[in-house]
Amino acid sequence: MSTLTKVLERNVSQIEKNANMKEGRFRLGHHLMPPVGWLNDPNGLCWYKGRYHVFFQYAPFDVEGGLKFWGHYTSENLLDWKYEGTALYPDSSYDCHGVYSGSSLIDQDKMHLFFTGNVKIDGDYDYINEGRETSTLHVESEDGIHFSDKEEVISFEKYPEDFTCHIRDPKVWKENDRYKMVLGGRLKEDKGAVLVYESEDLRDWKLERVITTPEVFGYMWECPDYFELDGQKFLSVSPQGLSREEYRFQNIYQSGYFPMKEDGSVDVNDFREWDMGFDFYAPQTFTDNKGRRLLIGWMGMPDADEEYVNKTIDEGWQHCLTVPRELTVRDGKILQAPAKELEGLRKEKTVLHDEKSIVEIRVEVNEGFDLVLDEIVMTGSSFKISMGGQMIFKYEDGVAEIGFSGIAGAGRSKRKAKIGELKNIRLLADTSAAEIYLNDGETVFSTRYYPDCEDLQLKILGGKFKGNLWNLRKMIFTK
Ligand code: FRU
C-alpha cells in the first residue's frame, strides 16, 4: 500500500469515527446512506460468494461532494448491512481527481470492477473538449473486499476522436463467451451517446459501435446500463440537457430506458423515465443468485441545489440510495417493485377500513412505514394521501402528482406523471425519504422530504380500497 493510500485510509476512518451520526434525526431506517459526507451513484452492484455488494460514489471529506472514493456495503439478505469501509481510493495517477462510477463482473469465481479514473489537468481548459483524462480502469478480487492494483484497460488517448473528454461509467457483462462494455459519452457535436466495447480477455477492449439517437437527445449520456428482461433488450442511460416539459423531464437531469430494436438502435419516442420524483438518478441493475434483475438508483440529483436542498447537510451527510427494486416487464414497460425481502422489516399491521370517506391514522415517520392500497375505486374527483399536510400525493384526471407544503420539501415543489387509471399504490416512507410505487410499479416517484415532527397524521381521502399499513423496523447497519 502506498503512503498516499495509507494517509487517505487513516483520514477516512478517522472522519467516519468522529462523525456522531446517531444524533441525526433524518438518518434513514431502510435506505443505504453514507457513514458521513456525500454519496452519489450506486456502483459495482453484484451478488458474489453469498453476499450482495453495493459500492457507491463516496466523498467522505465534503458533504457537498468533491473528491470521489468508492464506499462499500455488503448484505446477505438485503436487510442487514455491513459497512465494509472504503473499497477504492483516488490514489493513483489514473484517478487522482476521483474514482468515478463503474460496475462489477463476476467471472470464474472472481469479482472484477471496471470504473472511470478521473484526472483533470491544471490549466486554462474547458474540461469538455480538453483538460480531462478519463480512462477505464480495472481491479479484481477473490473475496470482494481486497482488490488488486489498478490497471488501465482503455486509456483516454484511445477513445474515438469524435468524442469530447466526457466518456465514463463502464458497465460490463458477458455475452456468448465474450465480454461487453458500455460507456456513457458526449460527442463533440454536443450529443449524448453510448460506446459499446468488446473483449475476449477483459483487458484488451475494442470499440464495436456507438449507439445514439438520430436527433439530439441531451448533450451527454451518463451511467449507461444494458440488460435483457423477458427476451427484450434494454439500454438505460442518464441523459443531461433535455428540455423540461410539464409531465416529463421535470428535473434538471433524467434517467430512463430505451427498449432496443432488432438492429440494436434506439428511438427517442420510446424513452421512458425510471422515476418521476425529485430525487432519482444514475441507476444500475444487476442479477442475483435468484435470477432476479434488481435496480438501485441514487436518490439524489446533481446540480439541483438552486431549486431544492437536503436538510441532512446540517447533520454532516447527504443523499442515499433507493431500496433494491425488482424489475419485470408488462406490455413492453418495466415494472419496479421493492425487493420482496423488504417485507421482512414489517412490524405490526393495521388494516385500513375505508367505509368512511376519510381514513386517518397516526404514523411514526421516525420509524418508517409501508402503506399498501389495492383495488382503488375513486369516490370523488380526486384521490389524496396527505402526510400531515406536509407531503401530499394527489391523483386526478389520469395525472398523479406529489407536492409539499411548508418547509418539508426543502424547496421541492411539484412533480407530475400521466398514469391513466390509478389502481394501486405502495408508499414506502422512511424518516426523510419516500418511494411511491403506482400501478404495480409502472410509475414511481422517489423523493427526499423533511417532516417537522416525528409522527404525523396520515389522511387518505377520495376513494375506496383494500388497505394495509405496517410500521417498519430499521435495517441493521454494522461496521
Ligand atoms: C453521475 C456521475 C457519473 C460519474 C460520477 C462521479 O452522477 O456524474 O457520470 O462517474 O457521477 O461521481
Side-chain angles (χ1 to χ4, degrees):
M1 192 186 277
S2 75
T3 312
L4 174 61
T5 317
K6 270 189 210 147
V7 170
L8 289 172
E9 193 184 74
R10 203 175 316 126
N11 279 281
V12 174
S13 35
Q14 201 57 46
I15 200 164
E16 285 172 356
K17 214 182 294 156
N18 290 348
N20 187 3
M21 290 298 170
K22 294 247 156 41
E23 301 295 314
R25 201 177 123 218
F26 295 125
R27 293 296 278 173
L28 295 155
H30 57 268
H31 287 87
L32 293 177
M33 58 200 155
V36 62
W38 159 289
L39 163 153
N40 58 298
D41 316 353
N43 291 155
L45 306 179
C46 61
W47 167 263
Y48 179 60
K49 294 192 173 169
R51 287 192 286 174
Y52 290 94
H53 290 258
V54 172
F55 300 88
F56 59 90
Q57 287 286 287
Y58 181 30
F61 298 133
D62 189 347
V63 72
E64 305 275 7
L67 189 60
K68 300 289 163 54
F69 299 57
W70 274 36
H72 186 194
Y73 278 107
T74 59
S75 172
E76 286 173 15
N77 57 9
L78 296 177
L79 294 180
D80 304 316
W81 293 89
K82 180 165 180 237
Y83 182 61
E84 302 283 357
T86 306
L88 299 172
Y89 294 88
D91 56 0
S92 80
S93 55
Y94 301 119
D95 60 7
C96 53
H97 293 101
V99 198
Y100 274 13
S101 283
S103 59
S104 66
L105 174 82
I106 309 305
D107 194 43
Q108 294 174 12
D109 242 22
K110 280 192 185 162
M111 179 195 284
H112 297 265
L113 300 180
F114 290 87
F115 51 97
T116 298
N118 185 41
V119 176
K120 277 173 118 177
I121 312 293
D122 262 351
D124 187 18
Y125 297 114
D126 66 357
Y127 296 106
I128 299 169
N129 291 296
E130 9 163 61
R132 209 183 264 273
E133 298 177 351
T134 56
S135 304
T136 300
L137 308 180
H138 167 251
V139 294
E140 59 184 39
S141 169
E142 293 193 7
D143 62 3
I145 305 292
H146 304 93
F147 295 93
S148 62
D149 287 345
K150 293 170 191 165
E151 60 177 328
E152 188 186 50
V153 290
I154 313 177
S155 157
F156 71 95
E157 291 153 323
K158 298 252 171 74
Y159 289 136
E161 294 267 298
D162 48 347
F163 276 82
T164 63
C165 310
H166 285 282
I167 294 185
R168 55 178 169 267
D169 312 332
K171 176 83 198 294
V172 177
W173 73 100
K174 195 171 183 179
E175 199 176 294
N176 306 329
D177 282 338
R178 293 178 93 84
Y179 304 100
K180 300 269 194 176
M181 177 194 290
V182 275
L183 282 160
R186 172 172 181 163
L187 284 156
K188 287 199 173 136
E189 59 198 281
D190 275 343
K191 189 176 183 198
V194 161
L195 302 94
V196 186
Y197 279 79
E198 199 183 68
S199 168
E200 286 177 12
D201 60 4
L202 290 175
R203 275 162 182 94
D204 184 21
W205 291 89
K206 292 207 169 53
L207 182 66
E208 190 187 284
R209 65 194 184 104
V210 169
I211 306 175
T212 186
T213 43
E215 52 280 75
V216 176
F217 191 64
Y219 57 80
M220 168 74 193
W221 291 358
E222 295 193 313
C223 298
D225 197 350
Y226 164 86
F227 55 91
E228 268 189 54
L229 207 56
D230 206 15
Q232 168 68 54
K233 297 181 167 77
F234 292 96
L235 180 71
S236 167
V237 291
S238 292
Q240 300 190 323
L242 300 179
S243 308
R244 293 183 182 214
E245 295 177 14
E246 189 175 358
Y247 296 103
R248 298 195 311 164
F249 314 152
Q250 297 158 90
N251 293 327
I252 177 165
Y253 305 136
Q254 275 59 50
S255 294
Y257 61 87
F258 299 101
M260 292 177 85
K261 297 186 192 295
E262 276 299 306
D263 63 359
S265 64
V266 294
D267 185 332
V268 290
N269 299 309
D270 297 336
F271 184 78
R272 237 184 105 75
E273 285 174 82
W274 283 113
D275 196 291
M276 305 307 284
F278 294 90
D279 299 278
F280 185 92
Y281 194 66
Q284 188 174 95
T285 72
F286 69 109
T287 45
D288 70 357
N289 60 325
K290 300 185 176 81
R292 297 180 291 186
R293 184 153 295 268
L294 297 169
L295 172 143
I296 296 180
W298 169 29
M299 234 171 130
M301 180 56 61
D303 307 326
D305 45 350
E306 289 202 353
E307 283 173 71
Y308 49 92
V309 292
N310 292 304
K311 294 196 177 176
T312 59
I313 291 179
D314 303 337
E315 297 178 2
W317 66 285
Q318 190 168 198
H319 303 309
C320 64
L321 300 178
T322 65
V323 298
R325 302 175 177 176
E326 181 172 356
L327 305 184
T328 51
V329 182
R330 186 173 71 192
D331 303 333
K333 289 182 190 160
I334 298 182
L335 306 182
Q336 306 173 61
K340 184 95 181 124
E341 284 87 338
L342 286 159
E343 291 175 16
L345 297 176
R346 289 173 173 173
K347 299 195 296 186
E348 322 79 64
K349 166 165 130 177
T350 312
V351 177
L352 303 178
H353 296 286
D354 62 357
E355 292 86 40
K356 291 184 265 152
S357 55
I358 302 181
V359 173
E360 289 193 69
I361 184 163
R362 213 94 209 131
V363 286
E364 304 276 338
V365 264
N366 65 341
E367 283 199 331
F369 63 89
D370 189 352
L371 171 72
V372 176
L373 305 181
D374 277 322
E375 296 174 32
I376 299 174
V377 178
M378 303 279 291
T379 52
S381 58
S382 69
F383 182 81
K384 277 190 193 161
I385 303 176
S386 159
M387 289 173 62
Q390 302 194 37
M391 186 169 94
I392 296 153
F393 167 83
K394 185 171 127 189
Y395 168 79
E396 196 174 304
D397 290 337
V399 175
E401 174 186 303
I402 55 166
F404 295 89
S405 69
I407 53 170
R412 286 165 186 77
S413 50
K414 277 188 181 149
R415 289 293 178 259
K416 302 186 205 174
K418 285 193 175 156
I419 63 160
E421 202 186 329
L422 175 67
K423 296 178 192 135
N424 54 59
I425 300 184
R426 174 143 178 216
L427 164 59
L428 260 185
D430 206 330
T431 47
S432 62
E435 299 184 41
I436 306 173
Y437 295 79
L438 307 177
N439 296 344
D440 307 311
E442 198 174 275
T443 302
V444 188
F445 287 90
S446 296
T447 187
R448 300 303 300 277
Y449 75 114
Y450 301 99
D452 65 5
C453 47
E454 299 203 339
D455 63 335
L456 45 79
Q457 193 77 356
L458 184 75
K459 262 194 212 175
I460 309 170
L461 41 155
K464 290 194 164 292
F465 48 79
K466 285 201 169 134
N468 287 308
L469 175 82
W470 290 266
N471 289 353
L472 298 179
R473 78 157 169 90
K474 291 187 189 295
M475 290 192 316
I476 296 169
F477 295 100
T478 53
K479 281 202 176 161

